[in-house]
Amino acid sequence: MLSPGATDPEMLFTVADGIARVVFNRPRAMNAFTYAMYDRLVEICEAVNADPAIRVMLLSGAGGQAFAAGTDISQFRNMSGRDDALAYEEHMDRVFSTLETCRVPTIAVITGAVTGGGAAIASCCDIRIASADMRFGFPIARTLGNCLSVRTIERVVALIGEARTRQILYSSELMDADQALAAGFVTQILPDHAALEARAEALAARIAQNAPLTLSATKEALARLRAGPAKPGADDDLILRCYLSDDFREGMEAFLAKRKPRFRGQ
């Protein structure tokens, strides 16, 4: 199992005070992802899932110029046929699904370019906040001439709507910060990188103090709603998980005693 602080200069992973921090660390390449980095992200999500002390995860890019600018183009040089193309997109869908279903709330902390695979990663996070210099999109029709998987397009449509998704994919135009906020891709724009970092840390600390079972039940409920309309009784397991927990009892007792609850995720 991957441990926080394990050596990998291109993908930094640390944990402190219940907050996991992941930094994409290829600033000279606009934090473009290698295949190894995608695999590392899966390993990090698995490590987070296995550690009940982790309550929330922050993801950001080093250098300030980009959150992540997609897949490093040099990774495609050995792609030669049908099997390679299908295997690549299948693998990407597994990576993105692993992040999307990570046990804890995930926050994309976006500076600069968030494009291609980087935009897909941000789309899998639960919350996206950004600095005023962000630029979001998938300019592949202008650059590589490849395409997005249906699942990736589905995620983007869920965030910004089909009309806007058509426009950015057909035109290869990038949304600026104001456009991304208006479209619903991000929930907050901060004026500069320092303000963004401060807000990200404050938001993560606030979430880390909340009831883990409530957070996980909410995340699972939202995932089920994306899969289709809710049916009667479909949330029984989530309700019982929370209402029958020690944390719910602790929350009641703390409220009545007018003290801060001590949630343990049990």
Side-chain angles (χ1 to χ4, degrees), residues 17-76:
D17 301 322
I19 303 171
R21 295 172 178 83
V22 180
V23 180
F24 313 140
N25 192 37
R26 296 186 74 213
R28 292 184 180 180
M30 300 287 282
N31 299 320
F33 266 59
T34 63
Y35 291 163
M37 290 173 69
Y38 284 119
D39 291 340
R40 168 80 167 176
L41 183 58
V42 170
E43 292 174 350
I44 288 172
C45 289
E46 291 173 345
V48 169
N49 287 341
D51 187 349
I54 296 175
R55 303 293 181 85
V56 61
M57 180 162 64
L58 293 171
L59 299 94
S60 63
Q65 297 301 306
F67 174 78
T71 302
D72 189 316
I73 305 306
S74 67
Q75 303 291 290
F76 294 131

Side-chain angles (χ1 to χ4, degrees), residues 208-231:
Q209 294 176 359
N210 290 337
L213 296 180
T214 300
L215 300 179
S216 65
T218 301
K219 184 163 184 172
E220 176 62 24
L222 290 168
R224 293 180 188 182
L225 283 174
R226 288 195 300 271
K231 298 179 180 179

Side-chain angles (χ1 to χ4, degrees), residues 164 177-186:
R164 288 189 178 95
D178 290 339
Q179 292 170 327
L181 181 64
F185 179 72
V186 296

